[in-house]
Amino acid sequence: MIIDQRQVQYFKAVAAEQYVPMILQDYGGDKGDLLAFFTDTITDIYRHLQYNTFKTVTIYTALAEESFLSRHVPSTIVINGYENLSPLRGDSIVIEVKPTGELQYLIDFELDIGLVRANAISYRFTKALEQEVIFGKASERRLRSIPDADSYFAIQTYKDLDVALEDYSTKLARHSECAHLRDVWFDESRIFFKARPEHILRDSLTQFLKGRVRNSEVRPEQIVDRTHPVDIKVTWSLAPHLALIEIKWLGKSLMQRGKSFKQIYNRQRALDGAKQLSDYLDENRRQAPVKTTKGYLVIYDGRRWGCNSTTTTVTRVNGLRYENDNIIYDPDYHSIRSDFARPIRFFLEPIMTG
Amino acid sequence: MMESNPDAIFDCLYIGKRLQRKINDFSMYEIQFFSYFSCLLSLYDGNPVESWNYSFIRTEFGSPYSIEIHKSIQILTSGEFLREQKDISGYYAFTPKGVEYLNYFQAAMQSISWRKKYLDTACTSISLLPYGDIKEAINSEPVLNSARHSQKRNLLLDSNPATKVLYSQFKALRTALEDKYTDLIVPATVWIDALNKEKNEFV
């Protein structure tokens, strides 16, 4: 078989960026299980530790006595249950994970990684940089940032789509906490959308659901029939269920400051979306009668009060004017048909001046 | 009484135990998915596809599926080795009897122990990489990706050009890693990252 040298180079480049080969090369090929134990322990720690209250969180496991935390400080505190991490507060925390699962920690102590890295697998979260790093003996690998996740090693998964959508609303959409949503605005004030933001909103929600809803396949822009593409389709594998998600946005979109708005969408847009979804569901019933289908209308609400196309700042009162302005649907499809989920509105906050 | 496949029964128990430890429970889909991933790792390691002792097809949604795994979950559930979770259907957890059975199986069936290396690596990957990354990557590997655009449902047939693409990727991966790593977790995690970064490059 001929070896594709381009592929070889590509794999080499990927391996050079990854922390797993670095750790096994630096500390020995037999450290795979220890590494998995270490990362599982980070997951457990993040379930309890209020990590965001610390400027730095350093977690490491020593491979030799000279890297024990107790060798570098006069005294450490031993903790046996993860739940005891919850009340801990301070500027920085260092936690040593023992192979037995025991944790030793010290608060407000900045561990110099250079002192232990020759004989320890180490991890550090730095809040100011929103950065997670795994350290090898002489180099380190930065972990990819995952929007809304506590850590690369602590990403919440969901069995229930409704719960996932709720969490997306509060943890991610509200403050535009992902690259897609940060890119959806005309400028940093988040008062107006950029022109035609639909696909960015769809990609944001698709990416979130893809990595988190267990048992499912999440696909953007799926055709229900020749004339009906739905924004996102979620199918549950090996189960006769599917969800169709229709996305609409409310607010104003702008291409150029001072020029007229590209689009202005108000509550009528949401009502139109509900009608559209109801029609999709009827069509889908004809196309896929054996699947139990549920339709979800998702509204991204970026409405602001008292803003024209020259507006560059918004007050708290005007920015949040529509925060609790729930839309009354008529007809209320959710009440009259069992396959129509209660419409969901994600209110997206602007950056406010006062 | 359904006829059982001991390899598939063992794989369900072993993967189920590992997944339960990591994410509290497991579904039929997840067992199917991780058994397929384990089979791919066995191919990477040079074993022929027949040695896996059960085969896979793609479902209508393009995910891997083995009737042997399906039957094994049914056998294990009806025998009360596994129980279906009460809060939401489609998820399973071990009963104490199931834990005992797995321990017995591991001790009694030495001929099956070679599989643990591949099952372990597939399951360990969820400790090291985001769960969604693994799902996305395996769904876009050459064979599944090709099957999604084909009428043929059997996966991993030697006659399938996509299987040849898969073997070519594995060969390139082995060359890239220069056989430096004895632990399969390195090729597994590098391959997953590579598939996600350049989903459309190879197929």
Side-chain angles (χ1 to χ4, degrees):
Chain A
M1 187 182 287
I2 298 165
I3 297 177
D4 181 340
Q5 287 303 326
R6 197 172 52 99
Q7 276 192 8
V8 172
Q9 292 310 316
Y10 176 63
F11 284 132
K12 278 188 176 178
V14 172
E17 288 175 10
Q18 227 208 34
Y19 76 94
V20 179
M22 175 188 74
I23 294 295
L24 269 65
Q25 201 166 347
D26 282 4
Y27 300 105
D30 60 342
K31 295 296 185 291
D33 287 345
L34 178 67
L35 179 61
F37 166 74
F38 178 63
T39 55
D40 280 345
T41 307
I42 296 175
T43 307
D44 290 335
I45 288 172
Y46 270 82
R47 283 198 186 118
H48 299 278
L49 183 73
Q50 302 295 311
Y51 71 98
N52 244 328
T53 61
F54 294 94
K55 289 177 184 164
T56 61
V57 176
T58 306
I59 305 170
Y60 78 100
T61 188
L63 306 171
E65 277 188 29
E66 55 262 39
S67 291
F68 285 178
L69 188 56
S70 53
R71 283 288 186 96
H72 299 278
V73 293
S75 65
T76 60
I77 303 165
V78 176
I79 204 162
N80 288 308
Y82 288 103
E83 62 280 6
N84 296 329
L85 293 165
S86 304
L88 303 182
R89 296 289 184 278
D91 271 353
S92 58
I93 184 166
V94 180
I95 302 172
E96 184 191 346
V97 179
K98 296 287 189 186
T100 56
E102 178 189 282
L103 306 178
Q104 294 191 6
Y105 75 91
L106 202 61
I107 286 183
D108 290 339
F109 171 71
E110 277 286 355
L111 178 73
D112 178 358
I113 293 285
L115 292 177
V116 297
R117 68 194 298 177
N119 290 299
I121 303 172
S122 322
Y123 156 96
R124 177 168 283 167
F125 163 71
T126 307
K127 188 180 178 183
L129 305 171
E130 286 291 320
Q131 193 179 83
E132 292 179 289
V133 173
I134 295 274
F135 296 86
K137 281 188 176 177
S139 55
E140 51 270 337
R141 299 287 181 272
R142 189 176 162 181
L143 301 172
R144 178 165 54 89
S145 164
I146 312 277
D148 166 48
D150 292 334
S151 160
Y152 185 84
F153 301 113
I155 302 167
Q156 187 171 357
T157 56
Y158 303 91
K159 291 177 184 171
D160 188 328
L161 178 61
D162 299 60
V163 180
L165 290 170
E166 258 176 49
D167 271 12
Y168 174 85
S169 173
T170 54
K171 292 181 181 171
L172 209 136
R174 179 137 195 128
H175 298 290
S176 300
E177 298 268 2
C178 75
H180 289 299
L181 291 183
R182 279 193 290 274
D183 188 43
V184 86
W185 302 104
F186 174 73
D187 65 17
E188 287 177 356
S189 64
R190 299 181 192 158
I191 298 171
F192 307 121
F193 289 107
K194 59 170 59 165
R196 308 201 67 77
E198 294 84 354
H199 68 283
I200 307 176
L201 298 169
R202 183 200 64 204
D203 289 350
S204 166
L205 187 56
T206 302
Q207 191 185 45
F208 178 85
L209 296 176
K210 256 188 177 183
R212 291 173 172 82
V213 182
R214 286 173 64 184
N215 246 5
S216 70
E217 302 287 333
V218 179
R219 300 195 187 282
E221 189 105 325
Q222 292 291 300
I223 304 296
V224 177
D225 72 1
R226 212 157 37 83
T227 54
H228 295 96
V230 71
D231 288 306
I232 301 173
K233 187 173 178 180
V234 183
T235 49
W236 277 266
S237 305
L238 310 175
H241 305 302
L242 78 91
L244 302 177
I245 301 177
E246 178 60 25
I247 295 173
K248 294 290 180 222
W249 60 272
L250 309 184
K252 295 169 180 170
S253 73
L254 191 60
M255 264 183 100
Q256 205 177 336
R257 173 77 61 206
K259 300 281 182 184
S260 54
F261 288 113
K262 197 76 184 160
Q263 294 138 309
I264 301 176
Y265 288 139
N266 53 31
R267 66 172 57 216
Q268 185 57 44
R269 181 75 173 165
L271 305 187
D272 293 345
K275 167 78 171 69
Q276 197 179 342
L277 179 58
S278 175
D279 292 345
Y280 288 173
L281 291 168
D282 289 340
E283 189 56 41
N284 183 73
R285 197 179 288 169
R286 283 187 281 276
Q287 300 282 327
V290 295
K291 289 278 178 191
T292 308
T293 304
K294 197 151 198 176
Y296 288 79
L297 177 63
V298 163
I299 306 293
Y300 285 83
D301 192 346
R303 288 176 294 167
R304 321 293 180 217
W305 181 256
C307 296
N308 61 42
S309 66
T310 61
T311 304
T312 55
T313 58
V314 66
T315 62
R316 191 168 180 79
V317 171
N318 287 349
L320 298 182
R321 167 77 177 246
Y322 294 98
E323 182 186 15
N324 298 311
D325 185 33
N326 290 320
I327 291 159
I328 309 295
Y329 290 89
D330 184 19
D332 182 8
Y333 293 104
H334 164 63
S335 302
I336 58 178
R337 55 187 302 169
S338 59
D339 59 354
F340 200 109
R342 186 183 296 281
I344 300 161
R345 188 171 65 97
F346 302 147
F347 183 74
L348 304 153
E349 277 193 17
I351 303 295
M352 292 166 286
T353 51
Chain B
M1 181 77 179
M2 274 184 279
E3 200 179 320
S4 66
N5 175 322
D7 296 271
I9 292 269
F10 177 73
D11 293 357
C12 288
L13 289 166
Y14 200 83
I15 294 171
K17 193 80 194 347
R18 290 289 308 263
L19 292 181
Q20 185 169 323
R21 197 192 308 159
K22 182 70 185 168
I23 50 177
N24 300 326
D25 52 20
F26 51 90
S27 67
M28 171 81 79
Y29 164 79
E30 286 162 344
I31 297 285
Q32 296 276 10
F33 180 89
F34 281 96
S35 59
Y36 180 70
F37 184 19
S38 306
C39 177
L40 295 178
L41 292 169
S42 164
L43 300 185
Y44 174 86
D45 217 19
N47 297 312
V49 70
E50 305 77 46
S51 68
W52 200 249
N53 289 336
Y54 58 87
S55 57
F56 294 89
I57 59 168
R58 65 153 174 84
T59 65
E60 61 175 306
F61 303 112
S63 55
Y65 173 87
S66 166
I67 185 68
E68 301 298 340
I69 291 286
H70 190 117
K71 282 195 293 191
S72 298
I73 297 259
Q74 286 181 327
I75 290 168
L76 291 166
T77 309
S78 62
E80 297 181 349
F81 299 103
L82 303 177
R83 61 174 165 75
E84 200 163 357
Q85 296 285 58
K86 285 181 185 151
D87 60 336
I88 188 161
S89 67
Y91 289 87
Y92 300 87
F94 270 72
T95 62
K97 190 177 162 189
V99 176
E100 270 177 40
Y101 189 48
L102 173 61
N103 293 338
Y104 160 78
F105 219 130
Q106 290 196 78
M109 299 280 286
Q110 288 301 315
S111 62
I112 236 161
S113 62
W114 69 275
R115 310 173 73 83
K116 278 163 61 176
K117 175 180 177 186
Y118 309 109
L119 306 175
D120 265 330
T121 304
C123 295
T124 296
S125 66
I126 57 169
S127 296
L128 302 174
L129 299 175
Y131 177 82
D133 283 11
I134 300 162
K135 211 170 109 178
E136 281 302 297
I138 299 303
N139 279 329
S140 63
E141 60 84 19
V143 175
L144 269 181
N145 193 37
S146 152
R148 218 170 270 124
H149 304 105
S150 158
Q151 294 298 316
K152 292 177 185 163
R153 297 190 68 190
N154 289 319
L155 300 174
L156 299 171
L157 295 177
D158 281 337
S159 57
N160 183 347
T163 309
K164 291 186 172 63
V165 176
L166 177 76
Y167 285 128
S168 160
Q169 275 190 18
F170 285 166
K171 181 123 185 156
L173 183 56
R174 265 195 301 272
T175 306
L177 298 177
E178 299 166 359
D179 288 326
K180 271 192 293 197
Y181 304 95
T182 49
D183 194 327
L184 270 179
I185 197 63
V186 173
T189 53
V190 170
W191 189 48
I192 286 167
D193 265 2
L195 287 168
N196 281 332
K197 282 181 179 154
E198 289 293 336
K199 269 185 189 169
N200 303 316
E201 186 164 333
F202 302 126
V203 180

